[in-house]
């Protein structure tokens, strides 16, 4: 700009040129010249405003998490049925618990997450696995229908037993009974059997005040089996999503081998798990009649042990005033028993001989089709912020470009090196170089000349106190600038150059 102004046809004043140069140096200098800053000063401000480009571009790109789902083949270790002897060994009808059964019981009680032995899924995998569980074999039930008078008849009887409490001299009838058990381990049978026995007393009034009530006692038997579970796997952690569906019953769980005498040690497979679980799901609550039982003065709950009370609280529905209902706990018990057996399927993969203890053709290695969902970080561009930044940049370019208009006319001084400028300003040092040939000629002719900045003979006058403190006065013929080293000397301290 400066050079162009110099080349301008009419020429410019030195103060104009200096101002043009200053306004291009900083916003502060441009503002100091306020309305006289001209186009160059305005451009300086526009370029300074480019600083907001950074924040704009920053807002233009954001990071989001996105889910990617793909079909993969998953390999994992999981026994599809319990290996024979998982619970321990029995002898003379007594069960000696194995380590695996103890670990499974503790883990279930403490709700420890189910962890597979190896990680096979990188994100969240949904799949169907085959794992141990129980399958319903048969059920039988008996119902005692109640009439309204039974509520306050001290002699009314239902259920399979009647209790008597001598301390209160009260008879009791069963109200809520749950027992998870197993067939006696010394009974010769095809498979170990778990049983769930429930007894539930319910009564309520219909809309027209009709009384409806009964006590239903149910006994169901379950055999060990291979179940198909829908699961979700995250890393090594596995969650059962849906209760298992029976695929096949297991035939490796004989609790009593007919060939073995009763007093011989024999493997036991699931009884330890059912026995342990009964401690948490078993309930025996009775109702006892009041001494002065009459209409409106029914029975009271008979005393119960603490762990049994939990079951009553969970399943007894007393919320409606017109009766008492009990929710069937069987689905919960089965889910718990199946979860314990599932855990056993994971734990038994540590057994080196697990395969030989299962039914023929089964393996602890399962290869499954699965969907894997991975959460990934993705960059997303917000084009509105980007457009803002781009507009600003284009604007800055449009303002800067005109400043270069006519650059080609500078010709020899295009580089604007110090010697280009010195030549253009007719510096004494370069007085012998042809100013039209440019800086190349300076290098060619004077390239080896030693120069230095300092005081040299010239047109300047200096004044000021010298080294000795005396007034130097005006000394004609000295100037400060670049000159050949041999004619340059260091100005004395405190020396002042008037021109
Ligand atoms: C995964 O496989 C199922 C069928 O096996 C198909 O319907 C689904 O589109 C597949 N998904 C992907 C992401 O390939
Ligand atoms: C999981 O990630 C590992 C390492 O990044 C890779 O080798 C493996 O193939 C991935 N597995 C699946 C099922 O995507
Ligand atoms: C139910 O199954 C158990 C065990 O297998 C068996 O002992 C019982 O006899 C069966 N009951 C009926 C009614 O089939
Ligand atoms: C209950 O039975 C006993 C004897 O079996 C009888 O003495 C008593 O009167 C009966 N109580 C009622 C309220 O029926
Ligand atoms: C339930 O408890 C009562 C005592 O409250 C007892 O008499 C009865 O035998 C128990 N029932 C069973 C099946 O153990």
């Amino acid at each position: 700009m400066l050079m162009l102004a110099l080349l301008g046809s009419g020429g410019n004043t030195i103060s104009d040129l200096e101002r043009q140069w200053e306004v291009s140096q900083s916003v502060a200098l441009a503002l100091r010249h306020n309305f006289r800053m001209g186009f160059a000063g305005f451009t300086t401000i526009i370029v300074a405003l480019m600083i907001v480009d950074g924040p704009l571009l920053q807002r233009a790109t954001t990071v989001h998490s996105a889910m990617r789902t793909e079909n993969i083949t998953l390999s994992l270790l999981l026994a599809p049925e319990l290996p024979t002897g998982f619970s321990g060994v029995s002898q003379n009808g007594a069960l000696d618990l194995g380590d695996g059964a103890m670990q499974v019981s503790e883990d279930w009680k403490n709700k420890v997450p189910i962890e597979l032995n190896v990680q096979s899924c990188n994100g969240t995998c949904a799949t169907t696995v085959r794992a141990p569980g129980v399958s319903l074999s048969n059920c039988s039930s008996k119902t005692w229908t109640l009439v309204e008078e039974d509520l306050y008849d001290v002699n009314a009887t239902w259920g399979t037993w009647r209790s008597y409490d001598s301390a209160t001299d009260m008879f009791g009838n069963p109200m809520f009974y749950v027992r998870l058990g197993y067939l006696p381990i010394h009974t010769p049978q095809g498979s170990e059997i778990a049983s769930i026995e429930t007894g539930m007393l319910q009564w309520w009034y219909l809309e027209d005040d009709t009384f409806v009530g009964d006590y239903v006692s149910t006994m169901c038997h379950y055999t060990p089996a291979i179940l198909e579970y829908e699961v979700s796997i995250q890393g090594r952690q596995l969650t059962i999503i849906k209760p298992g569906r029976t695929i096949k019953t297991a035939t490796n769980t004989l609790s009593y081998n007919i060939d073995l005498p009763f007093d011989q040690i024999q493997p036991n497979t699931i009884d330890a798990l059912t026995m342990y679980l009964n401690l948490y799901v078993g309930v025996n609550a009775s109702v006892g009649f009041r001494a002065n039982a009459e209409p409106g003065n029914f029975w009271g709950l008979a005393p119960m042990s603490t762990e049994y009370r939990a079951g009553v609280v969970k399943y007894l529905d007393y919320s409606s005033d017109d009766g008492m209902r009990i929710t069937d706990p069987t689905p919960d018990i089965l889910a718990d028993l199946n979860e314990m057996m599932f855990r056993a399927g994971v734990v038994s993969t540590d057994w080196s001989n697990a395969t030989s203890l299962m039914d023929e053709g089964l393996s602890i290695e399962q290869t499954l089709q699965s969907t894997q969902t991975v959460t990934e970080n993705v960059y997303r561009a917000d084009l509105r912020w980007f457009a803002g930044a781009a507009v600003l940049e284009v604007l800055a370019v449009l303002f800067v470009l005109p400043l270069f208009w006519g650059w080609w006319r500078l010709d020899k001084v295009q580089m604007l090196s110090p010697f280009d400028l010195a030549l253009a300003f007719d510096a004494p040092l370069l007085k012998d170089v042809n100013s039209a040939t440019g800086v190349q000629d300076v290098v060619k002719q004077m390239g080896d000349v030693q120069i230095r900045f300092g005081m040299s003979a010239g047109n300047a006058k200096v004044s000021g106190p010298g080294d000795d403190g005396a007034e130097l006065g005006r000394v004609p013929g000295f100037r400060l600038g670049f000159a050949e080293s041999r004619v340059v000397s260091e100005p004395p301290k405190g020396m002042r150059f008037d021109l």
Side-chain angles (χ1 to χ4, degrees):
M1 189 78 185
L2 185 67
M3 296 308 290
L4 286 174
L6 280 170
L7 292 169
S9 55
N12 268 308
T13 64
I14 287 180
S15 75
D16 275 349
L17 293 174
E18 174 63 14
R19 186 174 64 245
Q20 291 240 13
W21 183 81
E22 277 181 11
V23 298
S24 69
Q25 292 308 296
S26 77
V27 174
L29 282 171
L31 290 175
R32 197 179 302 161
H33 288 285
N34 53 65
F35 57 88
R36 290 166 67 215
M37 70 172 79
F39 184 72
F42 194 63
T43 304
T44 304
I45 292 171
I46 292 281
V47 169
L49 282 178
M50 287 284 292
I51 201 166
V52 302
D53 224 36
L56 284 181
L57 284 176
Q58 223 165 32
R59 301 206 65 163
T61 40
T62 44
V63 183
H64 292 262
S65 47
M67 310 247 268
R68 183 166 53 84
T69 301
E70 58 195 344
N71 287 340
I72 61 161
T73 304
L74 205 64
S75 299
L76 50 80
L77 295 182
L78 177 60
E81 69 180 23
L82 290 189
T84 307
F86 184 83
S87 278
V89 290
S90 61
Q91 188 178 22
N92 290 323
L95 188 55
D96 197 357
L97 294 191
D99 291 344
M102 299 239 242
Q103 188 194 332
V104 163
S105 306
E106 282 294 300
D107 286 355
W108 173 82
K109 181 180 135 199
N110 297 322
K111 298 187 166 57
V112 174
I114 301 174
E115 291 231 316
L116 298 170
N117 285 357
V118 283
Q119 168 162 0
S120 44
C121 172
N122 285 336
T124 304
C125 290
T127 189
T128 312
V129 297
R130 294 194 168 190
V134 290
S135 171
L136 178 64
S137 159
N138 66 46
C139 279
S140 60
S141 74
K142 186 167 180 199
T143 303
W144 285 263
T145 306
L146 302 186
V147 292
E148 191 165 354
E149 287 70 37
D150 289 332
L151 298 187
Y152 46 87
D153 176 5
V154 290
N155 286 341
T157 307
W158 62 80
T160 46
W161 73 85
R162 185 153 218 243
S163 63
Y164 176 71
D165 181 10
S166 53
T168 54
D169 188 26
M170 269 192 351
F171 283 100
N173 280 343
M175 178 192 106
F176 186 29
Y177 181 75
V178 180
R179 186 184 141 78
L180 172 63
Y182 48 86
L183 294 197
I185 42 188
H186 54 270
T187 319
Q189 60 209 22
S191 182
E192 286 176 28
I193 303 290
S195 63
I196 298 178
E197 189 183 353
T198 58
M200 294 184 285
L201 173 69
Q202 307 195 88
W203 58 271
W204 61 93
Y205 291 93
L206 299 178
E207 292 271 310
D208 59 356
D209 255 14
T210 319
F211 175 88
V212 182
D214 59 19
Y215 179 80
V216 181
S217 170
T218 307
M219 172 67 119
C220 292
H221 293 97
Y222 299 86
T223 49
I226 302 170
L227 265 55
E228 205 165 62
Y229 295 86
E230 271 180 39
V231 298
S232 165
I233 303 171
Q234 222 167 354
R236 282 174 53 198
Q237 201 167 312
L238 183 146
T239 313
I240 298 172
I241 301 296
K242 241 183 165 177
R245 186 173 62 89
T246 303
I247 298 297
K248 196 169 174 288
T249 52
T251 59
N252 68 331
T253 65
L254 280 177
S255 71
Y256 182 77
N257 188 323
I258 292 164
D259 298 334
L260 277 178
F262 181 53
D263 58 0
Q264 287 270 306
I265 292 179
Q266 48 206 296
N268 184 285
T269 305
I270 72 162
D271 290 348
L273 303 182
T274 55
M275 198 166 75
Y276 182 85
L277 186 55
N278 184 55
L279 296 178
Y280 293 89
V281 301
V283 178
N284 180 4
S286 313
V287 286
F289 291 96
R290 297 179 197 281
N292 54 347
E294 57 183 66
N297 192 10
F298 305 155
W299 52 63
L301 285 186
M304 296 172 273
S305 68
T306 335
E307 66 263 32
Y308 287 2
R309 210 177 295 255
V312 174
V313 170
K314 195 167 168 192
Y315 297 106
L316 182 63
D317 179 8
Y318 239 143
S319 59
S320 54
D321 285 340
D322 64 347
M324 180 180 81
R325 293 172 197 250
I326 294 173
T327 315
D328 185 5
T330 307
D332 288 351
I333 297 170
L334 283 177
D336 283 336
L337 182 57
N338 282 341
E339 186 197 314
M340 285 180 99
M341 292 180 77
F342 194 112
R343 288 173 181 274
V346 175
V347 166
S348 53
T349 57
D350 289 338
W351 294 19
S352 55
N353 59 348
T355 305
S356 65
L357 294 172
M358 295 189 297
D359 284 321
E360 224 173 286
L362 296 178
S363 162
I364 59 169
E365 281 155 34
Q366 301 196 24
T367 305
L368 312 154
Q369 292 307 309
S370 160
T371 60
Q372 176 174 265
T373 306
V374 185
T375 308
E376 293 171 321
N377 285 338
V378 292
Y379 289 95
R380 191 179 295 161
D382 186 335
L383 290 179
R384 288 168 305 171
W385 293 108
F386 179 76
V391 162
L392 209 67
E393 269 170 39
V394 168
L395 207 65
V397 168
L398 288 181
F399 270 90
V400 170
L401 273 182
L403 297 180
F404 290 90
W405 184 256
W407 169 259
W408 54 91
R409 286 164 60 203
L410 290 173
D411 194 29
K412 292 277 189 284
V413 285
Q414 271 177 12
M415 305 257 298
L416 289 184
S417 84
F419 293 101
D420 263 335
L421 290 173
L423 208 53
F425 281 103
D426 198 17
L429 178 68
L430 306 177
K431 59 183 183 296
D432 296 332
V433 180
N434 177 2
S435 65
T437 55
V439 75
Q440 278 86 3
D441 253 33
V442 177
V443 173
K444 210 184 282 171
Q445 286 185 30
M446 300 185 57
D448 295 332
V449 177
Q450 286 259 327
I451 62 165
R452 117 179 226 226
F453 190 77
M455 193 174 73
S456 61
N459 298 328
K461 305 180 198 99
V462 291
S463 68
D467 279 342
D468 53 2
E471 187 76 10
L472 270 175
R474 293 169 72 86
V475 181
F478 281 96
R479 64 172 288 137
L480 197 58
F482 280 102
E484 285 185 44
S485 299
R486 62 185 165 81
V487 301
V488 170
S489 59
E490 214 162 287
K493 200 177 170 198
M495 194 169 193
R496 226 172 58 219
F497 294 80
D498 282 352
L499 290 171

